[in-house]
């Protein structure tokens, strides 16, 4: 990736991982160059379970960010680290109240919506509990809709919402929103009930930082 010189910045991720997608967006917004190290979550039973990767990340999840000798896991912790390490292009507002509001949006998506439709949960539902493919899609649609309904109300009725989740400049909230909208569309969850979310996503899709982070343009895209 192009950006300012950041020797040793390496991102282990998967092109379709929402969590890795968030980090790619933040790196791009901050203009940070990095080496992309794909970890295929399906091939050979999942490369995230290999001994070499598990030694980096005992959770056996993506992403993992290496910044020289610093090793970080958990996408939101990585986003906060990048915010502190590279503050020149802030992804959080100036006031504590507004920072809390942005963090609440990011956490709502990353903690309440995304975990219920990520790969390991879906594999457990199918492989252990034996649900059908149709039931799996219904599960995904239900939990995305539940989260998006609340988020639409939050953003549609708050004066802080602009072209982006907060004002007209992308924040951590937008880093989380776009990958989740991508996931919704991937599973054919309609976006018409969420016009504010769809509008923000459409605007962000015009920005190079988001375009360059899209799953379809990653080196491991299939």
């Amino acid at each position: 990736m192009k950006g300012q010189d950041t020797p040793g910045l390496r991102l282990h991720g998967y092109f379709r991982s929402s969590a890795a997608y968030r980090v790619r967006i933040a790196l791009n917004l901050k203009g940070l160059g990095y080496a992309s190290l794909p970890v295929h979550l399906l091939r050979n039973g999942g490369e995230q379970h290999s001994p070499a990767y598990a030694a980096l990340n005992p959770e056996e999840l993506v992403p993992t960010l290496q910044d020289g000798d610093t090793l970080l896991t958990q996408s939101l912790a990585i986003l906060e680290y990048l915010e502190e390490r590279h503050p020149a292009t802030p992804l959080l507002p100036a006031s504590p109240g507004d920072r809390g509001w942005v963090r609440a949006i990011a956490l709502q998506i990353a903690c309440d919506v995304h975990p219920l439709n990520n790969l390991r949960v879906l594999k457990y539902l199918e492989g252990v509990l034996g649900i059908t493919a149709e039931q799996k899609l219904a599960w995904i649609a239900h939990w995305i809709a539940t989260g998006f309904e609340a988020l639409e109300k939050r953003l549609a009725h708050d004066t802080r919402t602009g072209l982006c989740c907060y004002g007209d400049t992308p924040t951590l909230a937008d880093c989380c929103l776009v990958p989740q909208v991508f996931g919704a569309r991937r599973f054919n969850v309609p976006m018409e009930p969420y016009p504010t979310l769809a509008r923000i996503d459409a605007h962000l899709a015009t920005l190079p930082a988001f375009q360059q982070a899209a799953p379809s343009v990653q080196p491991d895209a299939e």
Side-chain angles (χ1 to χ4, degrees), residues 162-170 174 177-178 185 196-208 210-211:
L163 292 174
C164 304
C165 290
Y166 174 87
D168 296 338
T169 303
D174 302 287
L177 175 65
V178 166
R185 290 188 170 124
T196 307
L197 306 189
R199 174 185 60 74
I200 294 171
D201 179 73
H203 167 69
L204 296 170
T206 69
L207 306 181
F210 289 81
Q211 295 170 351

Side-chain angles (χ1 to χ4, degrees), residues 170-190:
T171 64
L172 296 188
D174 302 287
C175 293
C176 293
L177 175 65
V178 166
Q180 192 59 62
V181 173
F182 167 80
R185 290 188 170 124
R186 179 183 165 214
F187 291 110
N188 298 314
V189 176

Side-chain angles (χ1 to χ4, degrees), residues 1-3 24 28 32-36 212-213 218:
M1 300 295 294
K2 295 181 180 179
R24 293 196 301 265
N28 293 344
L32 300 174
Y34 64 95
S36 179
Q212 294 163 11
Q218 301 315 303

